[in-house]
């Protein structure tokens, strides 16, 4: 479902995941680069589990995401791994 003139979860997922996948493809084999994403916590709680290998939706929903919260991720072997979620470490399986 979506609100009138708004995007559904599936619409947002299609844009977000495609965008992040394109950035990962561009970064492969290139020099180390830093990227900064600025957005709403609600977006990140819903979308980051789709692109971070070690973050589930259950984890994201259970963690507080305060105003100005940050998530740090690193590209490793072509995959994004969350290293820190709002100041706390995230385990890598």
């Amino acid at each position: 479902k979506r609100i009138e003139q708004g995007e559904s979860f599936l619409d947002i997922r299609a844009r977000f995941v495609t965008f992040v996948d394109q950035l990962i493809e561009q970064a492969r084999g290139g020099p180390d680069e830093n990227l900064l994403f600025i957005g709403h916590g609600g977006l990140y709680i819903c979308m980051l589990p789709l692109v971070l290998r070690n973050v589930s939706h259950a984890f994201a929903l259970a963690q507080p995401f305060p105003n100005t919260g940050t998530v740090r991720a690193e590209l490793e072997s072509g995959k994004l791994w969350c290293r820190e979620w709002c100041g706390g470490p995230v385990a890598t399986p």
Side-chain angles (χ1 to χ4, degrees):
K1 290 202 158 204
R2 71 178 86 197
I3 60 171
E4 188 176 330
Q5 298 180 346
E7 292 180 290
S8 70
F9 175 86
L10 297 176
D11 294 334
I12 296 168
R13 180 180 72 180
R15 279 193 312 118
F16 188 89
V17 172
T18 299
F19 176 66
V20 172
D21 286 346
Q22 289 171 349
L23 291 175
I24 291 170
E25 191 61 36
Q26 290 173 4
R28 284 191 190 171
D32 290 340
E33 292 186 27
N34 295 312
L35 300 172
L36 174 65
F37 295 85
I38 299 173
H40 295 280
L43 171 72
Y44 292 147
I45 288 169
C46 292
M47 295 295 131
L48 287 178
L50 301 174
V51 296
L52 297 174
R53 295 310 227 186
N54 58 327
V55 171
S56 67
H57 279 104
F59 173 87
L61 288 169
Q63 307 306 310
F65 205 111
N67 191 24
T68 71
T70 61
V71 172
R72 185 174 63 84
E74 295 177 355
L75 187 61
E76 185 179 307
S77 301
K79 308 289 183 197
L80 279 175
W81 296 87
C82 185
R83 301 298 186 218
E84 186 178 290
W85 186 279
C86 296
V90 178
T92 302

